[in-house]
Amino acid sequence: MVPTTEGPFARYEEYGIEDPRITRIDDIYYITYVCYSSFDCRAGLALTRDFWSFERVGLISLPDNKDVVLFPGKIGGRYARLDRPMTAISGRRDVWISYSPDLLYWGDARVVMTPRPGRWDGAKIGAGPPPIETERGWLLLYHGVRGTACGQIYRLGVALLDLENPSRVVGRAEEPILYPAAPEDLLGDVRNVVFTDGAIIEDDGELRIYYGAADQVMCLATANVNDLIALCLKDMET
Amino acid sequence: MVPTTEGPFARYEEYGIEDPRITRIDDIYYITYVCYSSFDCRAGLALTRDFWSFERVGLISLPDNKDVVLFPGKIGGRYARLDRPMTAISGRRDVWISYSPDLLYWGDARVVMTPRPGRWDGAKIGAGPPPIETERGWLLLYHGVRGTACGQIYRLGVALLDLENPSRVVGRAEEPILYPAAPEDLLGDVRNVVFTDGAIIEDDGELRIYYGAADQVMCLATANVNDLIALCLKDMET
Amino acid sequence: MVPTTEGPFARYEEYGIEDPRITRIDDIYYITYVCYSSFDCRAGLALTRDFWSFERVGLISLPDNKDVVLFPGKIGGRYARLDRPMTAISGRRDVWISYSPDLLYWGDARVVMTPRPGRWDGAKIGAGPPPIETERGWLLLYHGVRGTACGQIYRLGVALLDLENPSRVVGRAEEPILYPAAPEDLLGDVRNVVFTDGAIIEDDGELRIYYGAADQVMCLATANVNDLIALCLKDMET
Amino acid sequence: MVPTTEGPFARYEEYGIEDPRITRIDDIYYITYVCYSSFDCRAGLALTRDFWSFERVGLISLPDNKDVVLFPGKIGGRYARLDRPMTAISGRRDVWISYSPDLLYWGDARVVMTPRPGRWDGAKIGAGPPPIETERGWLLLYHGVRGTACGQIYRLGVALLDLENPSRVVGRAEEPILYPAAPEDLLGDVRNVVFTDGAIIEDDGELRIYYGAADQVMCLATANVNDLIALCLKDMET
Amino acid sequence: MVPTTEGPFARYEEYGIEDPRITRIDDIYYITYVCYSSFDCRAGLALTRDFWSFERVGLISLPDNKDVVLFPGKIGGRYARLDRPMTAISGRRDVWISYSPDLLYWGDARVVMTPRPGRWDGAKIGAGPPPIETERGWLLLYHGVRGTACGQIYRLGVALLDLENPSRVVGRAEEPILYPAAPEDLLGDVRNVVFTDGAIIEDDGELRIYYGAADQVMCLATANVNDLIALCLKDMET
Amino acid sequence: MVPTTEGPFARYEEYGIEDPRITRIDDIYYITYVCYSSFDCRAGLALTRDFWSFERVGLISLPDNKDVVLFPGKIGGRYARLDRPMTAISGRRDVWISYSPDLLYWGDARVVMTPRPGRWDGAKIGAGPPPIETERGWLLLYHGVRGTACGQIYRLGVALLDLENPSRVVGRAEEPILYPAAPEDLLGDVRNVVFTDGAIIEDDGELRIYYGAADQVMCLATANVNDLIALCLKDMET
């Protein structure tokens, strides 16, 4: 899948496309991705059935919006997605949720989760892979960013959203679960970054997190999904 | 109609509501307005039948978005609105259009019109009242802003959008049609501002533009609608 | 009283001195004022007995600090003053209080009152004249600032601080009591500004507020002190 | 010693406490530290006798102020400390000195030392460990910062302050004495940073400098104190 | 004279041309003007003999440069001009001088005069009309700008440059000679601005200063040239 | 060659000199270099015949200007150089060309090449070593910069300028030819930087590129000049 140079999408993909997130709904793989152009960032939606041919479905947000990811199926009769609008007035970088009857027209948006000032995720946050359904809620991997005197540090954290009403945060781990420490995280085009758009849960409960390190190489980390859920809930009990 | 302090809208109306634009569709008056809170600006939709009681319909955009106004009826089977997203990355302030099957879920957004650098509308633009249907196209009053060493100047301009495909600009006047010049425009809380959210077209073709001057008093200006259309088209011919 | 050009104060008064606030303690008139230099703003303390000769007492704060004003006497055995530090990290502009055993060495500082986002005093606030002792508390006139597309608007508001513990706000009026509206407020070197550093209470309870308009002319406004107290308390009861 | 969550300090330690500097005065160890909260940075003072229990003494500055460190005893009858106010107007980052009769109330502040534009310490400077008394003056280790296209570099420098009047700089080395070069300095959470808050002088004149590298690991560097003094004085002679 | 739309100048005049300054050298009237485009501001040189037809001579500076004005004849065998480069790194706005053998190729630039921080001309300065030759030196009218909470104020000042070496300032008046005070200065498109590009000296020594008020109307002010010289020199003597 | 501390150059070399580029014209080696001072960056010209003694020729630009490099001889009867003005208004960082009859007075400047938004050279570009004459045009090595969340990345690219009219770009490679990848590029004072001011072409067509890595060490890279030319032209053909 490459940026289009003709048709209605081309204008908004002029600088490229990035950060695809793949959600399977029935037999179709939907891909939400960032369209980057002189109009800044907005979300596109494509689909594929075979990963050989791709069909663009629609441009599904105004700018600025990134880190858009679909939930794997309808919730309460509607499709749902997470958003990360960037506001110009106060520079906010929160995670929001929107709903849709048909994947094309979106509305009823509300805030889900905000950065925690003074913490590892104090500057901005954004969703990672599609939320993973568990008995205790939707497990959300997200990146959190903190600014330092030498640039920003991107780490991964985890939260749990209510199954019926995913705009409600059930739990959120205090500390990051993955952070730049290995040489491949610390060197590269954009150092101090770990960033994931895709994760797969195995039958034995092992979560396989595919993440980019330093915007340069792909890596794999694993965790037990119950451990992650426990991290989310433990911190809530305190 | 006042900001709500309870229910799902309250959180986003904490700092107040502003800039209502009223569009009649059949017998209902729809009001698009700015919800202003610590989450910055987003668009709300309310309705009234009698201007005594108001019903909030939905929060219809993510932040940052302002100057949202509905077209008076469906176009090609869909409702349409104009948007003015504010982007954080490049600070863009363009006019966009979105579509909806039901006024609640919106999509298929695209750019309509951008500021003209170095001109009176070079810094930002935004829709004014609901677009007015004419034989030559949708007549759009919009505000254009230019920065100066002593603050910004808000003026009104006029453009014509295609009847069938309102994302296409048919014509756009070179010069503003109304600008701060009277004492009431030049003094007040926010000087050098003329700004309109409402205009009424009379049977004889007179357009009555109700505008705020200096964010302090309401004024009335009139123009012949055919003159405004001619301004839009004349400049295109050159 | 003019900027010194020799001695330890000269270095910090290089760009001038401004905004003197006069507090009578016993038979001495203490003057807190802003020292402005390439090191930015800090507070100076001078005294006079006759308004003919002035003696500089000390430089009583680090930069950046403005709008420093003394309470007229000791509270709980210590002198007290209000501060308005300006922070570089988040750009905060709050009113603080500090205490001193001797007017020279200051400490035990804490926040008293903060701007109210989205309101007329949402951008910054700062103390005006010395707080006025009343039965219901220390009556504080303060300026509140809001940013607009055409520059900032300075208005005056009123609050009531606890007599024994002036770091506690007893009441604070919702709306400003004085704002730029007269021609002399709206035109001038720095338009849209009313700003006061001095007020006198008469025996009949009339408060005489001497204020600068547009940084250009001095004006006089009056109010009944009980009315102002009522404004502070009424809004608290809601 | 951990951030308090109750009592008068809690509000100002909400985001944490950092950069403790320990000064022994008689048999008490005083700790000046940064209180970080939504009100930005200010200085706290605590004490301990055994490093098991800690007692908070007072909040001893307004915001923004960092890198506050006490001299080890009175000078001319008063306690003294170094400050690093951050000004919002011009963004100054100078080292200042303040005095106190009792460690609680502070005043008589003045500038001691400023960054040297275009040099390794051209962007900002701040005191390191408590100044060390020597025959030639107070030996001050300080950090100097320079901005580059890839973030800031923190290095350590050395200066000598007058014994009787420590606001007077007797000498200041031209070049840094310690800078990021080892792998542990160059990689980590905040790369290119060496930063010290503590140093101990041995009987043989060896100075043991404990410093943080890349905000991640603690390291030890040593130097002969007379060499450092010579560096300060040599550059003055030129 | 209007912006060109063809040829080598068109690219740099896309947004318009402004602030022409006319210098007579022999029988030719040379016009230095600002070329404004997406490449920002640079200086153009045109000439006319009759004010009916204009010939573009050359683009005589890189961006950013404004307020370029020629001296009326050679000095020491070379042509001379004043410049006002705007630097991106520190935001400097100083008056410089450059020299040329032929009006086309320029060099040997140096600083002439800088803003005076904390004063009426503390933010930026720029040359006005061509310098006027007097017995005591080149009389230079210049604009000085100060920022306030409500936007910038443009005033006119006066300085005297050495006849033989015009990079040397012989004298500079402390206070402005003309500032916004009349209604036409205070209201208009860009309020609080007086700005001059042209002045004529009469045989009786009266200087006729043609200035724009509030970027909207042209006005005339007069002064005796000897009074202006005295202002420049008096302040030097102190 | 060291910064001067006396004479007309000293004032502009106060913070140092950097980035010398050496162009041989006849038997003289001309050196264009950056003069860095509180007046920001401007270009100086020096010469040497033996690399033992250096003579300053002139200060050949206003600020801000960097990356100035001479062509090795006259083109169309004039000397030529490349410039990189930095504009304050829009923050432009383009490569320009200027001409001179005598190396001292410069003019007739125009834009040569601009950054390509969204690409590896999207933020700023600047010339490297003196352009190298080839049959197909002047081969220009230049640095291109892109901003990331963790600071800027400096890479080297290549373009071909017309032999007769070097303001015309004949070809420009799509991708960089050298970028930070080796440890010495990725670590150091200013990481992620490769930057060259000098290159030598051997008789066999091998280009020896001497470049700085991370502002810390000097490295050597080689390439065949015909390969570089092919890269420039290939991308033009598409």
Side-chain angles (χ1 to χ4, degrees):
Chain A
M1 186 176 165
V2 295
T4 52
T5 54
E6 293 187 354
F9 287 73
R11 181 182 209 180
Y12 305 107
E13 298 182 357
E14 182 191 357
Y15 295 168
I17 57 179
E18 60 186 21
D19 293 345
R21 285 151 170 108
I22 305 168
T23 304
R24 181 177 175 175
I25 302 180
D26 301 328
D27 284 344
I28 299 177
Y29 297 91
Y30 287 97
I31 304 169
T32 49
Y33 63 99
V34 177
C35 302
Y36 189 28
S37 72
S38 67
F39 294 103
D40 294 339
C41 291
R42 59 184 305 208
L45 177 66
L47 66 79
T48 186
R49 286 179 175 79
D50 55 11
F51 288 94
W52 286 105
S53 66
F54 297 86
E55 178 188 338
R56 272 168 178 75
V57 178
L59 290 154
I60 57 171
S61 86
L62 289 162
D64 274 349
N65 198 355
K66 291 179 100 171
D67 303 326
V68 172
V69 63
L70 297 176
F71 284 76
K74 291 191 177 179
I75 302 173
R78 302 184 295 182
Y79 294 104
R81 76 180 191 206
L82 298 173
D83 298 272
R84 217 291 300 281
M86 294 168 273
T87 78
I89 296 177
S90 309
R92 296 202 64 127
R93 301 287 185 272
D94 306 311
V95 172
W96 289 59
I97 194 168
S98 298
Y99 298 92
S100 171
D102 53 15
L103 290 175
L104 291 177
Y105 301 97
W106 293 86
D108 198 17
R110 62 195 75 176
V111 165
V112 175
M113 208 162 76
T114 63
R116 293 178 287 196
R119 307 276 292 277
W120 66 272
D121 53 358
K124 51 184 175 181
I125 56 173
I132 295 155
E133 193 170 0
T134 75
E135 289 188 1
R136 304 300 297 268
W138 294 102
L139 185 69
L140 174 66
L141 295 177
Y142 72 96
H143 61 266
V145 182
R146 179 177 192 160
T148 76
C150 289
Q152 299 179 312
I153 307 177
Y154 279 71
R155 299 178 177 96
L156 294 187
V158 64
L160 211 54
L161 309 181
D162 187 81
L163 279 182
E164 305 299 317
N165 173 14
S167 72
R168 191 173 76 81
V169 177
V170 176
R172 182 175 177 183
E174 291 296 316
E175 297 302 325
I177 60 166
L178 189 71
Y179 48 85
E184 59 269 24
D185 308 330
L186 298 171
L187 298 174
D189 272 12
V190 188
R191 67 180 291 283
N192 256 346
V193 172
V194 294
F195 194 97
T196 180
D197 291 335
I200 293 172
I201 190 164
E202 302 292 336
D203 289 344
D204 61 356
E206 188 189 64
L207 188 68
R208 301 171 71 85
I209 305 171
Y210 295 86
Y211 68 96
D215 273 23
Q216 208 162 53
V217 292
M218 285 302 304
C219 307
L220 172 62
T222 61
N224 182 282
V225 74
N226 288 322
D227 291 348
L228 298 182
I229 292 172
L231 277 176
C232 294
L233 296 177
K234 183 190 69 170
D235 295 319
M236 283 301 115
E237 290 158 4
T238 326
Chain B
M1 184 175 166
V2 296
T4 52
T5 53
E6 293 188 353
F9 287 73
R11 182 182 207 179
Y12 304 105
E13 299 182 357
E14 182 191 355
Y15 295 169
I17 57 179
E18 61 186 20
D19 293 346
R21 285 152 171 107
I22 304 169
T23 303
R24 179 176 176 176
I25 302 180
D26 302 325
D27 284 344
I28 299 177
Y29 296 93
Y30 287 96
I31 304 169
T32 49
Y33 64 99
V34 177
C35 301
Y36 190 27
S37 72
S38 65
F39 294 101
D40 293 341
C41 291
R42 59 184 304 208
L45 177 66
L47 66 78
T48 187
R49 285 177 175 82
D50 55 12
F51 287 93
W52 287 104
S53 67
F54 297 87
E55 179 188 338
R56 271 169 177 76
V57 178
L59 291 155
I60 56 172
S61 86
L62 288 163
D64 273 349
N65 197 356
K66 290 178 102 170
D67 302 327
V68 172
V69 63
L70 297 176
F71 284 76
K74 291 189 176 180
I75 302 172
R78 300 184 296 181
Y79 294 103
R81 76 179 191 205
L82 297 173
D83 298 272
R84 218 291 300 281
M86 292 167 273
T87 79
I89 296 176
S90 309
R92 296 201 65 125
R93 302 286 186 273
D94 306 312
V95 172
W96 290 60
I97 193 168
S98 298
Y99 298 93
S100 172
D102 53 16
L103 291 175
L104 290 177
Y105 301 97
W106 293 85
D108 199 16
R110 61 195 75 176
V111 165
V112 174
M113 206 161 78
T114 63
R116 294 179 286 197
R119 307 274 295 275
W120 65 272
D121 54 358
K124 50 184 176 181
I125 56 174
I132 295 156
E133 193 169 0
T134 75
E135 289 188 3
R136 305 299 296 269
W138 294 102
L139 185 68
L140 174 66
L141 296 176
Y142 73 95
H143 61 266
V145 182
R146 178 176 193 163
T148 75
C150 290
Q152 299 180 309
I153 308 176
Y154 279 71
R155 299 178 176 97
L156 294 187
V158 64
L160 212 53
L161 310 181
D162 187 80
L163 279 182
E164 304 300 317
N165 173 14
S167 72
R168 192 173 75 82
V169 177
V170 176
R172 182 174 176 184
E174 290 297 316
E175 296 303 325
I177 60 167
L178 189 71
Y179 47 85
E184 60 269 24
D185 307 332
L186 298 170
L187 298 174
D189 272 11
V190 189
R191 67 180 291 286
N192 257 344
V193 171
V194 294
F195 194 96
T196 179
D197 291 334
I200 293 172
I201 190 162
E202 303 290 337
D203 290 344
D204 62 356
E206 186 189 65
L207 187 68
R208 303 171 71 85
I209 304 171
Y210 295 87
Y211 69 96
D215 274 22
Q216 208 163 54
V217 292
M218 285 302 303
C219 306
L220 173 61
T222 61
N224 182 282
V225 74
N226 289 322
D227 292 348
L228 297 183
I229 292 172
L231 277 177
C232 295
L233 296 177
K234 182 191 68 168
D235 295 318
M236 285 299 114
E237 290 158 5
T238 327
Chain C
M1 183 175 167
V2 295
T4 52
T5 54
E6 292 187 354
F9 287 72
R11 182 181 206 180
Y12 304 106
E13 298 182 359
E14 182 191 356
Y15 296 167
I17 56 179
E18 60 187 21
D19 293 345
R21 286 153 170 105
I22 304 169
T23 303
R24 179 175 176 176
I25 301 181
D26 302 327
D27 283 343
I28 300 177
Y29 296 92
Y30 286 96
I31 304 169
T32 50
Y33 65 99
V34 177
C35 302
Y36 190 26
S37 72
S38 66
F39 294 102
D40 294 340
C41 291
R42 60 184 304 208
L45 178 67
L47 66 80
T48 185
R49 285 177 176 81
D50 54 12
F51 287 93
W52 286 105
S53 67
F54 296 86
E55 177 189 339
R56 272 167 176 76
V57 178
L59 291 154
I60 56 172
S61 87
L62 288 162
D64 274 346
N65 198 355
K66 289 179 102 170
D67 303 327
V68 173
V69 62
L70 297 177
F71 284 76
K74 292 190 176 180
I75 302 173
R78 301 184 295 182
Y79 294 103
R81 77 181 191 204
L82 297 173
D83 297 272
R84 217 292 300 281
M86 294 168 273
T87 78
I89 296 177
S90 308
R92 297 202 65 127
R93 301 287 186 273
D94 306 311
V95 172
W96 290 60
I97 194 167
S98 298
Y99 298 92
S100 171
D102 54 14
L103 291 175
L104 289 178
Y105 300 97
W106 293 85
D108 198 17
R110 61 194 76 177
V111 166
V112 174
M113 206 162 77
T114 64
R116 294 179 287 196
R119 306 275 294 277
W120 66 272
D121 53 358
K124 51 184 175 180
I125 56 173
I132 294 155
E133 192 169 2
T134 76
E135 288 188 3
R136 304 300 296 268
W138 294 102
L139 185 69
L140 174 66
L141 296 177
Y142 72 96
H143 61 267
V145 182
R146 179 177 193 161
T148 75
C150 289
Q152 299 179 310
I153 308 176
Y154 279 70
R155 299 178 177 96
L156 294 187
V158 64
L160 211 54
L161 309 181
D162 187 81
L163 279 182
E164 305 300 318
N165 173 14
S167 73
R168 191 172 76 82
V169 177
V170 175
R172 183 174 175 184
E174 291 296 316
E175 297 302 325
I177 60 166
L178 190 69
Y179 48 84
E184 59 270 25
D185 307 330
L186 298 170
L187 297 174
D189 272 11
V190 189
R191 67 180 291 285
N192 256 345
V193 172
V194 295
F195 194 97
T196 179
D197 291 335
I200 293 172
I201 190 162
E202 302 291 335
D203 290 344
D204 62 357
E206 188 189 64
L207 188 68
R208 302 173 71 84
I209 304 171
Y210 296 87
Y211 69 95
D215 273 22
Q216 209 163 53
V217 293
M218 285 303 302
C219 307
L220 173 62
T222 61
N224 182 282
V225 74
N226 288 323
D227 292 348
L228 298 183
I229 292 171
L231 276 177
C232 294
L233 296 177
K234 182 190 68 168
D235 295 318
M236 283 300 113
E237 290 158 4
T238 327
Chain D
M1 184 175 165
V2 295
T4 52
T5 54
E6 293 187 353
F9 286 73
R11 181 181 209 180
Y12 304 107
E13 298 182 0
E14 181 190 356
Y15 294 168
I17 57 178
E18 61 187 22
D19 292 346
R21 285 153 170 105
I22 304 168
T23 305
R24 180 175 175 175
I25 302 180
D26 301 326
D27 283 343
I28 299 177
Y29 295 92
Y30 286 96
I31 304 170
T32 49
Y33 65 99
V34 177
C35 301
Y36 189 27
S37 72
S38 66
F39 294 102
D40 292 341
C41 291
R42 59 185 303 207
L45 178 66
L47 66 79
T48 186
R49 285 179 175 81
D50 54 12
F51 288 93
W52 287 104
S53 66
F54 297 86
E55 178 188 340
R56 273 169 175 75
V57 177
L59 290 155
I60 56 173
S61 85
L62 287 163
D64 274 350
N65 198 356
K66 289 179 103 171
D67 302 326
V68 172
V69 62
L70 298 177
F71 284 76
K74 292 190 176 180
I75 302 173
R78 300 184 295 180
Y79 294 102
R81 78 183 191 202
L82 297 173
D83 297 273
R84 217 291 301 281
M86 293 167 273
T87 78
I89 296 176
S90 308
R92 297 202 64 126
R93 301 288 186 271
D94 306 312
V95 172
W96 289 60
I97 193 169
S98 298
Y99 298 93
S100 171
D102 53 16
L103 291 175
L104 291 177
Y105 300 97
W106 292 86
D108 198 18
R110 63 195 74 178
V111 165
V112 174
M113 207 161 78
T114 64
R116 294 179 286 196
R119 306 276 294 276
W120 66 272
D121 53 359
K124 50 185 176 181
I125 56 173
I132 295 156
E133 193 169 0
T134 75
E135 289 189 2
R136 304 300 296 269
W138 294 101
L139 185 68
L140 174 66
L141 296 177
Y142 72 97
H143 62 267
V145 183
R146 178 177 192 160
T148 76
C150 290
Q152 298 180 311
I153 307 176
Y154 280 70
R155 299 179 176 95
L156 294 187
V158 64
L160 212 53
L161 309 181
D162 187 81
L163 279 182
E164 304 300 318
N165 173 14
S167 73
R168 192 173 75 81
V169 177
V170 176
R172 181 174 177 185
E174 290 297 315
E175 297 302 326
I177 60 166
L178 189 69
Y179 47 86
E184 60 268 24
D185 307 331
L186 298 170
L187 297 174
D189 273 11
V190 189
R191 67 180 290 285
N192 257 345
V193 172
V194 293
F195 195 96
T196 179
D197 291 335
I200 293 173
I201 189 163
E202 303 291 337
D203 290 344
D204 63 356
E206 186 188 64
L207 188 67
R208 302 171 73 85
I209 304 172
Y210 296 87
Y211 69 96
D215 273 22
Q216 209 164 50
V217 292
M218 286 302 304
C219 306
L220 173 62
T222 62
N224 183 283
V225 73
N226 289 322
D227 292 348
L228 297 182
I229 292 171
L231 277 177
C232 295
L233 295 176
K234 181 191 69 168
D235 294 318
M236 285 301 113
E237 290 158 5
T238 328
Chain E
M1 185 176 166
V2 295
T4 53
T5 54
E6 293 188 353
F9 287 72
R11 180 182 209 180
Y12 305 105
E13 298 182 357
E14 181 191 356
Y15 294 168
I17 56 179
E18 61 187 21
D19 293 345
R21 286 153 170 105
I22 304 168
T23 303
R24 180 176 175 174
I25 301 180
D26 302 326
D27 284 343
I28 300 177
Y29 297 92
Y30 287 96
I31 304 169
T32 50
Y33 63 100
V34 178
C35 301
Y36 190 26
S37 72
S38 65
F39 295 102
D40 294 340
C41 291
R42 59 185 302 208
L45 178 66
L47 66 79
T48 186
R49 286 178 176 81
D50 55 12
F51 288 93
W52 286 103
S53 66
F54 297 86
E55 178 189 340
R56 273 169 177 74
V57 179
L59 290 154
I60 56 172
S61 85
L62 288 162
D64 274 349
N65 198 355
K66 290 179 102 169
D67 302 326
V68 173
V69 62
L70 296 177
F71 284 78
K74 291 190 177 180
I75 302 172
R78 302 183 295 182
Y79 295 103
R81 77 180 191 206
L82 297 173
D83 298 272
R84 217 289 302 278
M86 294 168 272
T87 78
I89 296 176
S90 308
R92 297 202 64 126
R93 302 287 186 271
D94 306 312
V95 172
W96 289 60
I97 194 168
S98 298
Y99 298 93
S100 171
D102 52 16
L103 290 175
L104 291 177
Y105 301 96
W106 293 85
D108 199 17
R110 63 195 75 176
V111 165
V112 176
M113 204 161 79
T114 64
R116 295 179 284 197
R119 306 276 294 277
W120 66 272
D121 54 358
K124 50 185 177 182
I125 56 174
I132 295 155
E133 192 169 2
T134 76
E135 288 189 3
R136 304 299 295 267
W138 295 101
L139 185 69
L140 173 66
L141 295 177
Y142 72 97
H143 61 267
V145 182
R146 179 178 191 160
T148 75
C150 291
Q152 298 180 310
I153 308 176
Y154 278 71
R155 300 179 176 94
L156 294 187
V158 64
L160 212 53
L161 309 181
D162 186 80
L163 279 182
E164 303 301 319
N165 173 15
S167 73
R168 192 173 75 82
V169 177
V170 176
R172 182 176 178 183
E174 290 296 317
E175 297 303 324
I177 60 165
L178 190 70
Y179 48 85
E184 60 269 24
D185 306 332
L186 298 170
L187 298 175
D189 272 11
V190 190
R191 67 181 290 284
N192 257 344
V193 172
V194 295
F195 194 97
T196 180
D197 291 334
I200 293 172
I201 189 163
E202 303 291 337
D203 290 345
D204 62 357
E206 187 188 63
L207 188 68
R208 302 171 71 85
I209 304 171
Y210 296 87
Y211 69 96
D215 273 22
Q216 208 164 54
V217 293
M218 286 302 304
C219 306
L220 173 62
T222 62
N224 183 282
V225 75
N226 288 323
D227 291 348
L228 296 182
I229 293 171
L231 276 177
C232 295
L233 295 177
K234 182 190 67 168
D235 294 318
M236 284 300 114
E237 291 158 5
T238 326
Chain F
M1 184 176 166
V2 295
T4 52
T5 54
E6 293 187 354
F9 287 72
R11 181 182 207 181
Y12 305 106
E13 298 182 358
E14 181 191 356
Y15 295 169
I17 56 179
E18 60 187 21
D19 293 345
R21 285 152 170 105
I22 305 169
T23 304
R24 181 176 174 174
I25 301 179
D26 302 325
D27 284 342
I28 300 177
Y29 297 92
Y30 287 96
I31 304 169
T32 50
Y33 64 98
V34 177
C35 302
Y36 190 27
S37 72
S38 65
F39 295 102
D40 293 340
C41 290
R42 59 185 304 207
L45 178 65
L47 66 78
T48 185
R49 286 178 176 81
D50 54 12
F51 288 93
W52 287 105
S53 67
F54 297 87
E55 178 189 340
R56 274 171 175 73
V57 178
L59 290 154
I60 57 173
S61 86
L62 287 162
D64 273 349
N65 198 356
K66 289 179 101 171
D67 302 325
V68 172
V69 62
L70 297 176
F71 284 76
K74 291 189 175 180
I75 302 172
R78 300 184 295 181
Y79 294 104
R81 77 180 191 205
L82 297 174
D83 298 273
R84 218 289 302 280
M86 293 167 273
T87 78
I89 296 177
S90 308
R92 296 201 64 125
R93 301 287 185 273
D94 306 312
V95 171
W96 289 61
I97 194 168
S98 298
Y99 298 93
S100 171
D102 53 15
L103 291 175
L104 290 178
Y105 301 97
W106 293 86
D108 199 17
R110 63 196 74 177
V111 165
V112 175
M113 206 162 76
T114 64
R116 294 179 286 196
R119 306 274 295 276
W120 67 271
D121 54 357
K124 51 184 177 182
I125 57 174
I132 295 155
E133 192 168 2
T134 75
E135 289 188 3
R136 305 299 297 269
W138 294 101
L139 185 69
L140 174 66
L141 296 176
Y142 72 97
H143 61 267
V145 182
R146 179 177 193 162
T148 76
C150 290
Q152 300 180 309
I153 308 176
Y154 279 71
R155 299 179 176 94
L156 293 187
V158 64
L160 212 53
L161 309 181
D162 187 80
L163 278 183
E164 304 300 318
N165 174 14
S167 73
R168 191 173 75 82
V169 177
V170 176
R172 181 175 177 184
E174 291 296 317
E175 298 302 326
I177 60 166
L178 190 70
Y179 48 85
E184 59 269 25
D185 306 332
L186 297 170
L187 298 175
D189 272 12
V190 188
R191 67 180 290 284
N192 256 346
V193 172
V194 294
F195 194 98
T196 179
D197 291 335
I200 293 172
I201 189 162
E202 303 292 335
D203 289 345
D204 62 357
E206 187 189 64
L207 188 68
R208 303 171 71 84
I209 304 171
Y210 296 86
Y211 68 96
D215 274 23
Q216 208 163 52
V217 292
M218 286 302 304
C219 307
L220 173 61
T222 62
N224 182 282
V225 74
N226 288 323
D227 291 348
L228 297 182
I229 291 171
L231 277 177
C232 295
L233 295 176
K234 182 191 69 167
D235 295 318
M236 284 301 114
E237 290 158 6
T238 327

